[in-house]
């Protein structure tokens, strides 16, 4: 298939060089999408139907056999050899069971080792004598060691996951899932499915995956290309609102207030306050005639635009045309017959432009936010009845700033500027947005993301128990309201496929203290995993534990409180153990990653050494946030976890 595309000759099929360039790029993208992936098989399953899909079963139509894989594959004649996992005919591979076989006689799973076919497993779903069993190949694939970036899960998608993956484009979905339930994979595979089912529409409107940080995005960046989807953009929330350079930080109290949804009203008032009702008429001179639009008529035009509550910039662009229209009405009454060209000329008239500048001046969003944060009186006027005096003092900058370029903006300030920018000019909306680790966003950040999908849909992924910011989400209903997707369906995943049973049971001791209403994750792994808590006298035990786990196959993560990372870096170097930073790809020679606790979210390793749980908790502004950070750190392991501590463990762990 790839060679057929490479051999296409487009010299005689393009009308001009522009068409040729566009077609050449499309061909290049097609070739990339058809690239072979080492150790990745093209098919992983087979379905034997009792009857041909879509045929009238009463007529006894003979069944068909389909091989299911990551990609559609056809032979030289164009006949399908492998069916894309997203196709409707593939769906029973994930949904069929002995209770509901969906007209499937046999489901076969294939097992691979380094790309070679090494095993297969059959289920005769329509045979009444067949007993429901747990697939060993499925368990082996789930428990396979993790080395390198995140991989797709097309061979192991579970029925409850498949329902979310195949949900329609028109509706938004929120997935609450504990550690290891596959929520990130479900979100990425939903994007792949939507691109398959609605390719033309999403090609026009675009798709975006939003993650918590660059390390996380690097970890997941190969999943969609492996499924042949190359056009999905990835970004963090900070990337979306990068109107200014971030050089400052807020303390927790200020960040919480700046992230509060009430700030949207403060900004709206501040933007609209720039409009001044006219007190003077506008006089337009054309040739020997003078046309006068009185102040009361101008005021009516301005009030009508304000009442429509359209974007500030759009109203400013409409104002000169409205004034020009008032002039044209007078011209017509006097017997003239002006056309659109005359109206445009009047709208560009010097007097009209001067009136618009005075009535509806341009607004620079960054300058507006800077004034709110540095001018106490300006803030007090527009935050009256919204923020109390203490809250206003909390967000005011202590020192004056000369310009927006010299200001030390924080991440929360950038979100405010993005809100102000949208009040002036509407933000472009995409067709679909996936928001992962959503529980850590502030209401204003939700609004920033929601602006990117006002005319599209969203997939929101997160775990309330893993909220590790002072402004972390309290409920999904509240979060979805800020996002503008209050009608989204909330799904909960509770079956754990990644974290071993003993590890998740231990970590779940924290749930009553950090998220009392959540259902604990139930591990479905047959392997209980390796788990040990070690009380030690010195920090050397941490390094010893890393060396011990490196004797196993797979990746190792050493997770520690951020403040302890420099000391551990030196200790690893002294022991001659090489290591990587979060997001860097492991190699056969270097499989240990040193991970600050603040960056551990969303990552996974075969084995984890967790250093000093008490230090992880104490590194956060409050105990609840610290315990949530610890919950995240405890649940990164796929095969085994060693907890080492010299200080007493947090009492919540028992």
């Amino acid at each position: 298939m790839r060679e057929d595309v490479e051999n296409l000759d487009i010299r005689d099929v393009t009308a001009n060089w522009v068409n040729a360039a566009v077609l050449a790029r499309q061909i290049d993208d097609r070739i990339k999408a058809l690239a072979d992936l080492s150790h990745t098989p093209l098919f992983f399953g087979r379905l034997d139907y009792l009857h041909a899909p879509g045929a009238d079963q009463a007529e006894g139509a003979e069944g068909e056999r389909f091989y299911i894989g990551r990609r559609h594959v056809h032979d030289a004649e164009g006949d399908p050899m492998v069916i894309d996992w997203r196709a409707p005919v593939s769906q029973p591979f994930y949904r069929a069971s002995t209770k509901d076989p969906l007209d499937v006689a046999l489901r076969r799973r294939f097992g691979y080792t380094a790309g070679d076919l090494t095993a297969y497993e059959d289920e005769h779903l329509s045979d009444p004598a067949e007993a429901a069993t747990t697939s060993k190949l499925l368990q082996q694939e789930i428990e396979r060691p993790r080395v390198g970036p995140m991989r797709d899960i097309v061979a192991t998608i579970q029925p409850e996951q498949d329902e979310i993956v195949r949900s329609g484009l028109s509706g938004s979905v929120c997935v609450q899932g504990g550690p290891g339930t596959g929520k990130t994979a479900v979100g990425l595979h939903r994007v792949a499915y939507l691109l398959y089912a609605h390719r033309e529409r999403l090609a026009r409107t675009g798709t975006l995956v939003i993650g918590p940080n660059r390390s996380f995005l690097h970890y997941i960046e190969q999943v969609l290309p492996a499924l042949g989807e190359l056009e999905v953009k990835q970004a963090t929330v900070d990337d979306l609102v990068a109107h200014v350079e971030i050089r400052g930080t807020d303390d927790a109290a200020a960040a919480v207030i700046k992230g509060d949804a009430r700030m949207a009203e403060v900004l709206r008032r501040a933007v609209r306050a720039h409009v001044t009702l006219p007190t003077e008429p506008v006089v337009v001179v054309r040739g020997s005639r003078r046309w006068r639009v009185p102040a009361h008529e101008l005021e009516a035009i301005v009030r009508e635009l304000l009442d429509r509550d359209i974007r500030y910039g759009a109203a400013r662009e409409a104002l000169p045309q409205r004034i020009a229209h008032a002039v044209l009405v007078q011209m017509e009454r006097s017997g003239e017959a002006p056309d659109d060209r005359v109206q445009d000329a009047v709208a560009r008239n010097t007097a009209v432009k001067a009136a618009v500048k005075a009535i509806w001046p341009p607004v620079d969003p960054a300058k507006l936010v800077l004034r709110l944060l540095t001018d106490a009186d300006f803030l007090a006027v527009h935050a009256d009845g919204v923020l109390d005096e203490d809250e206003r003092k909390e967000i005011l900058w202590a020192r004056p700033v000369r310009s927006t370029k010299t200001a030390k903006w924080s991440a929360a300030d950038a979100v405010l500027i993005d809100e102000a920018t949208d009040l002036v000019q509407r933000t472009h909306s995409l067709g679909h947005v996936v928001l992962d680790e959503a529980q850590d966003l502030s209401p204003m950040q939700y609004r920033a993301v929601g602006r990117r999908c006002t005319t599209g849909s969203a997939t929101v992924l997160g775990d309330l128990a893993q909220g590790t910011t002072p402004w972390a989400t309290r409920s999904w209903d509240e979060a979805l309201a800020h996002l503008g997707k209050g009608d989204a369906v909330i799904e909960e995943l509770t079956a754990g496929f990644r974290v071993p049973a003993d590890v998740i049971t231990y970590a779940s001791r924290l749930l009553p203290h950090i998220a009392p209403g959540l259902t604990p994750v139930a591990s479905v792994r047959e392997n209980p995993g390796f788990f040990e808590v070690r009380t030690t006298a010195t920090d050397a035990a941490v390094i010893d534990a890393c060396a011990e786990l490196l004797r196993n196959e797979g990746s190792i993560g050493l997770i520690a409180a951020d403040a302890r990372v420099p000391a551990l870096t030196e200790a690893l170097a002294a022991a001659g153990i090489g290591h990587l930073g979060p997001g860097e790809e492991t190699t056969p020679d270097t499989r240990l990653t040193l991970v600050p606790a603040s960056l551990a979210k969303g990552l996974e390793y075969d084995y984890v050494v967790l250093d000093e749980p008490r230090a992880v908790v104490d590194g956060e502004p409050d105990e609840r946030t610290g315990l949530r950070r610890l919950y995240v750190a405890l649940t990164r392991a796929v095969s085994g976890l060693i907890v080492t501590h010299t200080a007493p463990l947090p009492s919540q762990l028992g």
Side-chain angles (χ1 to χ4, degrees):
M1 290 170 65
R2 187 172 62 253
E3 288 171 357
D4 287 345
V5 179
E6 289 172 340
N7 293 330
L8 287 174
D9 186 351
I10 64 171
R11 287 175 296 181
D12 299 326
V13 298
T14 54
N16 52 54
W17 70 270
V18 175
N19 289 346
V22 171
L23 187 55
R25 178 174 177 179
Q26 290 175 340
I27 290 174
D28 286 342
D29 288 344
R30 177 66 173 161
I31 292 170
K32 291 177 184 176
L34 289 171
D36 287 316
L37 298 175
S38 61
H39 307 320
T40 301
L42 283 174
F43 64 94
F44 50 81
R46 191 182 102 187
L47 288 177
D48 292 3
Y49 278 87
L50 290 172
H51 308 86
D56 187 350
Q57 296 184 13
E59 297 176 0
E62 187 177 343
E64 291 188 62
R65 172 179 297 172
F66 300 97
Y67 286 86
I68 312 300
R70 289 167 173 77
R71 306 295 312 281
H72 168 84
V73 182
H74 61 248
D75 61 18
E77 283 71 44
D79 294 326
M81 298 176 67
V82 179
I83 305 297
D84 194 301
W85 66 276
R86 298 167 287 189
V89 76
S90 303
Q91 185 171 338
F93 184 80
Y94 303 107
R95 302 276 187 96
S97 65
T98 52
K99 291 183 178 179
D100 186 10
L102 299 176
D103 201 43
V104 173
L106 179 142
R107 172 168 57 199
R108 173 170 290 178
R109 300 182 192 274
F110 295 99
Y112 291 85
T113 302
D116 294 328
L117 178 62
T118 54
Y120 68 88
E121 190 178 70
D122 288 348
E123 298 170 89
H124 299 85
L125 300 177
S126 295
D127 184 352
E130 181 94 352
T133 58
T134 301
S135 167
K136 293 189 179 301
L137 287 180
L138 195 62
Q139 284 295 136
Q140 290 171 7
E141 176 64 21
I142 289 172
E143 298 179 12
R144 185 156 57 97
R146 268 106 166 127
V147 177
M150 183 179 179
R151 56 179 182 258
D152 65 76
I153 61 164
V154 287
T156 61
I157 294 174
Q158 300 300 292
E160 65 272 20
Q161 296 174 326
D162 190 62
E163 288 184 20
I164 299 171
V165 166
R166 295 177 192 266
S167 55
L169 176 61
S170 59
S172 294
V173 178
C174 174
V175 182
Q176 159 63 40
T181 54
K183 57 185 177 295
T184 296
V186 166
L188 294 175
H189 286 67
R190 185 175 184 225
V191 172
Y193 171 77
L194 292 175
L195 286 167
Y196 175 88
H198 308 277
R199 189 166 302 281
E200 290 187 6
R201 177 176 171 183
L202 289 177
R204 294 193 307 271
T205 56
T207 51
L208 175 68
V209 174
I210 302 172
N213 52 58
R214 281 281 148 201
S215 298
F216 177 84
L217 292 178
H218 182 71
Y219 177 62
I220 68 170
E221 67 184 357
Q222 296 303 319
V223 174
L224 290 169
L227 300 174
E229 303 300 345
L230 306 174
E231 298 300 318
V232 180
K233 300 290 188 293
Q234 295 184 346
T236 64
V237 173
D238 289 345
D239 294 333
L240 298 183
V241 300
H243 304 284
V244 291
E245 182 182 356
I246 305 301
R247 296 188 297 141
T249 56
D250 289 312
D251 59 35
V256 168
I257 297 168
K258 289 179 181 180
D260 194 298
R262 293 176 297 163
M263 289 300 298
E265 174 60 19
V266 176
L267 290 164
R268 191 188 74 84
R269 292 180 183 181
V271 168
R272 289 170 65 92
H274 286 75
V275 178
T276 304
L277 293 176
T279 57
E280 299 291 333
V282 171
V283 179
V284 176
V285 179
R286 283 185 59 81
S288 61
R289 302 293 299 270
R290 293 163 62 88
W291 307 97
R292 183 175 182 275
V293 182
H296 70 85
E297 190 171 346
L298 288 175
E299 181 179 338
I301 293 172
V302 172
R303 288 191 182 279
E304 190 265 337
L305 287 172
L306 286 171
D307 291 342
R308 287 182 59 193
D309 203 25
I310 59 178
R311 294 297 193 281
Y312 185 92
R316 188 174 188 275
E317 292 173 2
L319 181 57
Q321 289 291 336
R322 297 294 178 88
I323 296 173
H325 178 72
V327 172
L328 258 65
V329 170
Q330 294 184 28
M331 290 180 176
E332 290 169 348
R333 286 173 181 166
S334 68
E336 295 189 19
D339 56 17
D340 290 344
R341 289 173 299 176
V342 175
Q343 179 166 330
D344 290 340
V346 173
R348 295 192 301 269
N349 182 274
T350 303
V352 174
K353 289 164 70 174
V356 170
K357 186 176 181 180
I359 297 168
W360 215 294
V363 170
D364 182 309
K367 289 181 178 178
L368 175 74
V369 173
L370 183 63
R371 187 178 177 190
L372 279 171
L373 297 177
T374 56
D375 186 334
D377 293 337
F378 187 69
L379 177 62
V381 169
H382 300 299
D384 183 40
V386 179
L387 302 179
D388 61 35
E389 186 177 354
D390 290 338
E391 289 173 320
R392 296 197 299 270
K393 288 180 179 178
E394 191 65 53
I395 64 173
L396 275 170
W397 291 359
R399 297 179 181 177
V401 178
R402 276 185 280 181
S403 70
T404 56
K405 291 184 178 180
T406 60
K408 291 188 176 181
W409 298 106
S410 69
D413 297 333
V415 179
L416 296 179
I417 294 172
D418 189 70
E419 179 84 25
T421 301
D422 183 71
L423 288 167
V424 174
Q425 203 72 42
R426 183 182 295 276
T427 303
H428 173 67
S429 175
L430 299 164
H432 191 77
V433 169
V434 175
L435 175 61
D436 205 352
E437 300 295 348
Q439 71 280 346
D440 274 341
L441 268 60
S442 69
M444 290 298 286
Q445 287 176 315
Y446 278 117
R447 289 175 62 88
V449 174
R451 286 193 283 278
R452 272 76 185 177
C453 55
T454 50
T455 58
S457 55
T459 300
V460 180
L461 313 166
D463 180 11
L464 296 178
Q466 296 185 61
T468 51
T469 55
W471 50 84
T473 303
R474 289 174 290 189
S475 76
W476 288 123
D477 287 334
E478 180 182 327
L480 292 168
H482 293 311
L483 193 68
K485 303 295 179 185
D487 58 347
V489 176
I490 300 176
E491 304 281 0
E492 187 171 9
L493 297 175
T494 58
F497 303 98
R498 173 171 56 79
V499 186
D502 289 352
V503 174
I504 196 64
T505 299
Y506 183 72
S508 294
R509 296 180 182 183
L510 297 175
L511 282 180
H513 308 282
I514 60 177
L518 289 187
T519 304
V521 172
S523 178
V524 298
R525 296 168 64 98
E526 291 186 343
N527 180 359
F530 170 72
F531 172 61
E532 192 174 337
V533 179
R534 298 178 180 175
T535 305
T536 63
T538 66
D539 288 344
V542 180
I543 309 303
D544 293 340
C546 292
E548 175 186 333
L549 292 179
L550 282 167
R551 290 194 283 269
N552 299 320
E553 180 187 6
S555 57
I556 316 296
L558 170 54
I559 303 178
D562 292 31
R564 286 182 54 80
V565 168
L568 290 172
T569 300
E570 294 180 5
L572 288 170
I577 300 177
H579 68 278
L580 305 166
E584 296 179 1
E585 193 166 332
T586 56
T587 66
D589 297 326
T590 308
R591 295 181 289 117
L592 175 67
T593 304
L594 176 56
V595 187
S598 62
L599 296 181
K601 191 169 298 178
L603 304 180
E604 58 182 29
Y605 302 93
D606 283 296
Y607 295 92
V608 167
V609 177
L610 176 57
D611 168 74
E612 293 295 350
R614 171 50 63 186
V616 173
V617 176
D618 291 345
E620 300 298 327
D622 59 85
E623 186 178 61
R624 187 182 187 193
T625 304
L627 291 172
R628 287 182 167 186
R629 184 76 72 189
L630 177 59
Y631 181 73
V632 171
L634 284 167
T635 54
R636 300 303 96 200
V638 174
S639 299
L641 169 68
I642 297 176
V643 178
T644 64
H645 67 101
T646 56
L649 291 172
S651 60
Q652 292 84 352
L653 283 174

